[in-house]
Amino acid sequence: MPRSIWKGSISFGLVQIPVALYPAEEPNELHFTQLDRRNMTPIRYERVNRETGEPVSWDDIVRGYPYEKGEYVVMSDEDLRRANVEATQTVDILDFVDASEIDPMYYEKPYYLAPASTNSKKKSSVTAYVLLREALRKTGKVGIAKVVIRTREHIAAVRPHGRALVLNLLRFAHELRSDEELDLPEMDVDAKGLGKRELEMAERLVAEMATEWKPEKYKDEYRDDVMKMIEKKVKSGQTTTPAEPEEEEEHRRDTGTVDLIALLKKSLGQKGAKVANDANDANDNKRAESAGAKPRKAESSKRKASGSRRAA
């Protein structure tokens, strides 16, 4: 079973559905190690202190946001989570729209959403999961949500896919370039000298090549050809055995969640906007009571954010 990269909840109205997020894609790319041609030894990239020139271990690396030249605000994983606890633990559904209205250009990356627990004591969370999945399926809608994955907020579409709910990350509108920048022919076909006969022949060709969509039919043939060449080199003895560097595992953090399925009826009796505002106000008040004083340079950081480079 794949490892979840995030745990939280789907939120719509006042309903919270505990879920875990799993990658839905498995890239099958060829990965090559860069070698020094002089002795065929792998090249190592070191994290080096710019001032001392000494290597720095992962344990000694922290995130720094450059709010002024040469000045940084250090942000830990816990700081990023506490900045907005709800955002880092929630797939917050804002609207429901027709699936057909979303241009494929906006789709970016898929993830599976699965119930966070199938424990019989938490049966209500599984029921809520099924409830949302079937409601989306029967209405033909998808949920448009906001979610924070690692250190970035994304817009996403929550939609049914077989037995699963899938979260598709979407591109924001400002991330897509307009085709107005390109020198494209106008939509007026007649003005471009396109004859009726040519168009009919093209339509007939498309019709003859039309078939059902079967994604498993299409293979990465170039990868297969490269692998055949690699195997040929192995059989002919054209190999080298350099020492492989150790790979460091990425540490991921799991977060808890709360099941509020009992609030479904209350959610249905209120308007979406009012529900969202009430929920946000309540969370803001709780955070304000426990957060304490804000950093004095917070405003300065915001004013200069647009000119600064965000640290990883």
Side-chain angles (χ1 to χ4, degrees):
M1 181 176 179
R3 181 180 178 182
S4 67
I5 65 172
W6 180 95
K7 284 186 178 179
S9 62
I10 299 174
S11 172
F12 67 105
L14 294 179
V15 179
Q16 303 281 331
I17 307 173
V19 292
L21 190 72
Y22 297 89
E25 62 177 355
E26 189 174 14
N28 196 22
E29 300 176 2
L30 289 172
H31 295 281
F32 294 94
T33 299
Q34 292 186 323
L35 308 176
D36 185 333
R37 74 164 61 245
R38 295 170 295 182
N39 59 4
M40 294 301 165
T41 299
I43 297 173
R44 181 175 64 189
Y45 294 90
E46 293 185 332
R47 299 167 296 280
V48 178
N49 185 304
R50 188 180 298 178
E51 182 177 337
T52 66
E54 297 178 355
V56 182
S57 68
W58 280 113
D59 292 338
D60 292 324
I61 294 178
V62 297
R63 293 185 185 89
Y65 183 85
Y67 70 95
E68 289 181 0
K69 186 175 182 180
E71 298 290 336
Y72 300 88
V73 174
V74 175
M75 295 291 288
S76 66
D77 288 342
E78 181 61 19
D79 289 330
L80 294 172
R81 189 187 72 84
R82 286 188 302 170
N84 189 330
V85 176
E86 184 180 3
T88 57
Q89 296 181 352
T90 307
V91 178
D92 188 15
I93 295 180
L94 308 174
D95 301 294
F96 292 98
V97 304
D98 288 338
S100 59
E101 291 183 2
I102 303 178
D103 190 317
M105 291 275 287
Y106 284 95
Y107 284 102
E108 186 174 3
K109 189 173 185 178
Y111 291 90
Y112 286 121
L113 288 165
S117 174
T118 56
N119 191 311
S120 58
K121 295 181 179 179
K122 296 185 177 180
K123 186 177 180 180
S124 60
S125 64
V126 177
T127 302
Y129 181 93
V130 174
L131 177 68
L132 177 58
R133 184 189 68 194
E134 295 309 308
L136 293 176
R137 189 190 314 281
K138 291 186 177 182
T139 60
K141 303 288 186 181
V142 298
I144 302 300
K146 282 192 174 182
V147 59
V148 173
I149 300 178
R150 297 188 175 92
T151 61
R152 182 187 171 190
E153 183 176 67
H154 301 266
I155 188 172
V158 178
R159 59 185 183 85
H161 181 76
R163 294 184 302 152
L165 282 173
V166 170
L167 181 139
N168 265 106
L169 296 187
L170 302 176
R171 296 178 177 89
F172 285 98
H174 67 266
E175 294 179 315
L176 288 176
R177 290 181 174 176
S178 170
D179 60 11
E180 296 296 329
E181 303 174 10
L182 305 177
D183 184 15
L184 301 174
E186 296 297 329
M187 296 292 290
D188 187 356
V189 176
D190 295 333
K192 294 301 177 182
L194 186 62
K196 182 178 180 181
R197 183 182 177 187
E198 288 90 340
L199 185 56
E200 289 177 348
M201 290 178 63
E203 290 175 353
R204 193 182 322 138
L205 178 59
V206 171
E208 289 176 357
M209 295 179 65
T211 185
E212 293 182 2
W213 165 240
K214 296 180 180 179
E216 64 277 4
K217 168 183 175 181
Y218 306 97
K219 308 293 183 182
D220 185 350
E221 296 180 357
Y222 178 73
R223 182 186 185 282
D224 293 341
D225 290 340
V226 173
M227 286 304 302
K228 288 178 182 178
M229 181 171 289
I230 290 174
E231 291 169 3
K232 185 177 180 180
K233 284 179 173 285
V234 171
K235 289 180 179 178
S236 64
Q238 301 179 54
T239 63
T240 182
T241 55
E244 292 288 344
E246 295 183 0
E247 296 183 358
E248 299 185 21
E249 294 185 357
E250 180 182 2
H251 299 285
R252 297 185 176 96
R253 173 177 53 81
D254 288 341
T255 59
T257 186
V258 177
D259 177 21
L260 296 178
I261 183 57
L263 295 173
L264 178 60
K265 289 185 178 180
K266 188 175 180 180
S267 298
L268 292 173
Q270 302 180 43
K271 292 185 178 179
K274 185 177 186 301
V275 171
N277 289 335
D278 289 347
N280 289 336
D281 290 344
N283 290 327
D284 290 343
N285 291 336
K286 289 179 182 178
R287 288 195 293 271
E289 291 174 3
S290 59
K294 296 181 179 178
R296 289 181 296 176
K297 292 187 177 180
E299 292 299 322
S300 168
S301 301
K302 290 181 179 179
R303 286 196 301 269
K304 298 180 181 180
S306 60
S308 302
R309 175 175 52 86
R310 185 176 296 278

